[in-house]
């Protein structure tokens, strides 16, 4: 059992401010067209904001890099992060269903991550399950896709070892907890672990606590989310909110992670997805910033995460 009082750096997934054009524009691809929110906060401003708010790690995507992967630009990003005293983590997908700007191959992601000095590269696999979904865990259709991905990671082990970056495979609304663990076990490498998103399990009809308990012993990365879950005449809904305001027992989640996660997990990445309904875009951006700041305070003061929580 790990130290129940162990400390973590406070990170933030840039998607927390996605209405400002950061991270990824989710849910806006249709009829062959891709829509994205205008970028009103760039990576330089995000780094300044992180320092002001006590964030120590930024979990960023290719969108935040403006999809400019030229050596000069990536070197400038690395230097700017170092100047701000920030660690960087890179988040990529193989085949994102909504925003293809975040897509990269394993080879590409490793090179980009190394160039910006990332400590970790997180992968969304975008595995497709057949319907009905609720009992599709480890079904043949999914296992075939996962096996191909495992073999692709194995081919890239020399580069992973050369660069020494941690690798994390996420339950990104496409993998059951058992499937992520299966992939990590198949790879059986000290640099490769899991990324547990604390809300994505709902998309797979899994319980949150069950998912966290299964994944915690393999976690190298965590997307720390909270949501309100409720039902109305239109159905059952899960809406993002500030950490501590929702129906996820975030105190229990942190207890599990402190006790069971390996030492490779040294950062907890805040992630929020607020509903836009009922707001103008400008109001939504303001609400995101408010929820971000409220969450940071909660994680510092209640959960003891980050330099200001120590």
């Amino acid at each position: 059992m790990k130290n129940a009082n162990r400390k973590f750096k406070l990170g933030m997934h840039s998607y927390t401010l996605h209405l400002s054009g950061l991270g990824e524009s989710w849910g806006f691809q249709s009829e062959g067209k891709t829509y994205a929110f205008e970028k009103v906060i760039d990576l330089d401003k995000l780094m300044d904001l992180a320092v002001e708010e006590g964030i120590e790690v930024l979990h960023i995507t290719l969108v935040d890099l403006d999809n400019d992967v030229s050596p000069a630009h990536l070197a400038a990003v690395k230097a700017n992060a170092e100047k701000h005293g920030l660690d960087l983590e890179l988040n990529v997908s193989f085949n994102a269903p909504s925003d293809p700007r975040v897509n990269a191959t394993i080879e590409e992601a490793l090179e980009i991550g190394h160039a910006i000095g990332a400590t970790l590269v997180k992968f969304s696999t975008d595995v497709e399950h057949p319907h009905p979904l609720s009992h599709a865990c480890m079904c043949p259709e999914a296992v075939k896709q996962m096996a191909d991905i495992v073999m692709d990671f194995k081919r890239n082990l020399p580069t992973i070892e050369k660069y020494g970056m941690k690798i994390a495979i996420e339950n990104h609304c496409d993998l059951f907890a058992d499937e992520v663990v299966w992939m990590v076990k198949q790879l059986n490498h000290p640099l490769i672990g899991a990324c547990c998103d604390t809300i994505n399990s709902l998309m797979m009809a899994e319980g949150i606590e069950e998912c966290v308990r299964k994944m915690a012993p393999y976690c190298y990365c965590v997307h720390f989310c909270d949501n309100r879950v409720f039902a109305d005449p239109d159905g059952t809904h899960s809406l993002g909110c500030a950490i501590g305001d929702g129906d996820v027992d975030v105190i229990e989640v942190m207890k599990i992670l402190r006790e069971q996660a390996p030492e490779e997990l040294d950062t907890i990445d805040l992630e929020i997805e607020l509903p836009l309904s009922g707001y103008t875009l400008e109001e939504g951006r303001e609400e995101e910033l408010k929820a971000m700041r409220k969450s940071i305070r909660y994680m510092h003061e209640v959960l003891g995460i980050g330099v200001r929580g120590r």
Side-chain angles (χ1 to χ4, degrees), residues 25-46:
S25 292
W26 179 258
F28 289 91
Q29 190 179 59
S30 63
E31 300 176 355
K33 298 179 181 179
T34 301
Y35 300 91
F37 291 114
E38 177 188 1
K39 184 173 288 189
V40 297
I41 297 178
D42 61 17
L43 187 54
D44 288 345
K45 291 180 182 177
L46 182 62

Side-chain angles (χ1 to χ4, degrees), residues 89-101:
E89 298 174 342
L90 181 64
N91 180 319
V92 300
S93 295
F94 293 146
N95 186 28
S98 185
D99 192 339
R101 297 176 300 167

